[in-house]
Amino acid sequence: MLRIGIAEDDFRVASIHEGFLSKMNNVKIVFKELNAEATMEKIKSEEIDLLLLDIYMPDRLGTELINDIREIKPELGIIMISAATEKEVVRHALQLGVFDYIIKPVTMERFIETIEKYRRFQMELEQKSEVDQTFLDQYFGFQSKSELKEDTPKGIDPLSLQKVNKILREEKGITAEEMGKRMGASRTTARRYLEYLISIGECYAELEYGIVGRPERRYYSNN
């Protein structure tokens, strides 16, 4: 279960983000706060894994909170969600070590993708005793030109695609729901990657008829 706190001074925006999170599995919203002071009190008293932090709050800037947060909970992940686009503001936030920076208004797809990326990163990090370059390349989004046959379309991350293809080759058939669990993503995201692999000839799907319910697509690697 990924425990999340929301620090957003606009209750309407906070409600939108809460709605996005409600569409995800294994996510719990621990608190929603409208100002910096209340946010810091909740961080001290509540256990969370990830903070969704706005910059322009009524009492302090969100970026001003980050060093204070690091002193209390250095392991806490922070994703900045802000309308601020000034170069120095964005640079400062990145230098403070936020996991991601999303400019408002954020789309649901972009929002969910970054939450899933954070969860996937944490899960994989916990499983490692040592970190290799491949893992770091995935975190920092590095991809050498020689590793890709062609540019992938919008919404298809090359590194995630490689992971899906690898899992697909290891399994003797897999559903979108099963793939989502393996890759740490939603069923919808997993299906998008699997259907893309079909479109480029890397896999195929067959309908699997169970005893009850609708038939389900099961995906198989062509390799």
Side-chain angles (χ1 to χ4, degrees), residues 79-109:
I79 293 175
M80 195 70 75
I81 303 178
S82 175
T85 58
E86 298 88 348
K87 179 177 67 176
E88 291 306 320
V89 173
V90 175
R91 177 185 291 166
H92 184 48
L94 296 176
Q95 289 173 336
L96 288 170
V98 298
F99 184 81
D100 200 355
Y101 190 110
I102 307 177
I103 297 173
K104 298 176 184 175
V106 58
T107 64
M108 183 173 69
E109 182 180 20

Side-chain angles (χ1 to χ4, degrees), residues 156-167:
I156 300 293
D157 175 66
L159 289 172
S160 297
L161 185 65
Q162 287 183 357
K163 183 173 184 178
V164 170
N165 218 345
K166 181 176 182 293
I167 293 171

Side-chain angles (χ1 to χ4, degrees), residues 143 145 148-154 156-158 161 196 200:
Q143 183 77 40
K145 293 181 180 179
L148 288 178
K149 296 179 180 178
E150 58 183 42
D151 293 335
T152 53
K154 183 179 179 181
I156 300 293
D157 175 66
L161 185 65
Y196 175 70
I200 61 174

Side-chain angles (χ1 to χ4, degrees), residues 25-90:
N25 297 323
N26 298 318
V27 167
K28 178 182 179 182
I29 301 172
V30 178
F31 65 79
K32 289 191 302 179
E33 295 298 343
L34 301 174
N35 60 63
E37 182 179 3
T39 296
M40 290 304 298
E41 288 301 318
K42 284 295 176 65
I43 289 173
K44 292 175 183 176
S45 62
E46 303 284 351
E47 290 297 324
I48 62 172
D49 306 299
L50 177 63
L51 177 67
L52 306 182
L53 180 62
D54 188 16
I55 289 183
Y56 296 124
M57 306 185 78
D59 45 350
R60 293 178 69 186
L61 292 176
T63 46
E64 294 176 355
L65 298 184
I66 295 178
N67 285 332
D68 293 343
I69 293 171
R70 297 296 186 216
E71 291 182 4
I72 302 168
K73 293 185 177 177
E75 75 287 353
L76 179 62
I78 299 173
I79 293 175
M80 195 70 75
I81 303 178
S82 175
T85 58
E86 298 88 348
K87 179 177 67 176
E88 291 306 320
V89 173
V90 175

